Amino acid sequence: MYVPPSTQRAPQPTAGSPWWLVIGPAFAALIGLFLVTVIYRFDGESALQLDLGMSSQSLLLNGLVSYLVAAAIAFPAGLLLGARFPTAVTVPAIFSMLLGVVLIAFVPNIGLLLVGRVLTGLGAGAVLGVTIALIRRLQAGRGAAAGITAGLGVLALALAPVLGGLLSDATGFRVVFVVATLFVFVALVVAGILGIVAATKAKPPVPPMPYPPHA
């Protein structure tokens, strides 16, 4: 007896993204926000500025403006592509951050500081865009995720000069960026693993084979 194959279609994936996919880019984005203001301190000139012999204007242009401009350039790409290709955008962006932070940790002059800040800013802007894109696609808890991420981002911006200043006073500014390198590397690993898990879950199920007809 021949049993015709079922015409029922496999369930299509929902439009929303799993909440845990936000973890990787959000963690990297918080590190990126921390790195925006870590080059400053509230009670005077930073160790980075003193060690490299930079004026306040030079620190502003090479350390802050370059970072923000690079982040603004990369942000739209992360926002537009992050919802569809979160891992493909996030992993290269975090890798760019990693290169930039490593370069700053061992920077010998202002020129390489500029390169390091641009690389870090490009990565930070992209992962921030991916984070916002993924949060917008959440089916539940979107407001809570946005509020928590925004609150942690403001906290990172405010605490960076304090924590960076304390660590720089004790060990020098390079150690601050070495520690940041470790956190960026963790974000890279987390984003890669979660991306693999998401890709595995997104594979369509194999349809059942029809029974062959009996003679």
Side-chain angles (χ1 to χ4, degrees), residues 91-166:
V91 170
I94 299 179
F95 188 72
S96 176
M97 290 179 64
L98 186 64
L99 290 178
V101 175
V102 169
L103 187 59
I104 297 171
F106 301 99
V107 64
N109 53 54
I110 299 176
L112 289 180
L113 172 67
L114 175 62
V115 175
R117 293 294 282 179
V118 168
L119 288 173
T120 310
L122 288 172
V127 294
L128 182 59
V130 174
T131 301
I132 294 176
L134 290 177
I135 290 177
R136 289 170 59 182
R137 285 174 60 90
L138 290 177
Q139 291 184 328
R142 185 184 309 168
I148 292 172
T149 304
L152 291 176
V154 173
L155 188 63
L157 288 169
L159 289 180
V162 177
L163 297 179
L166 292 175

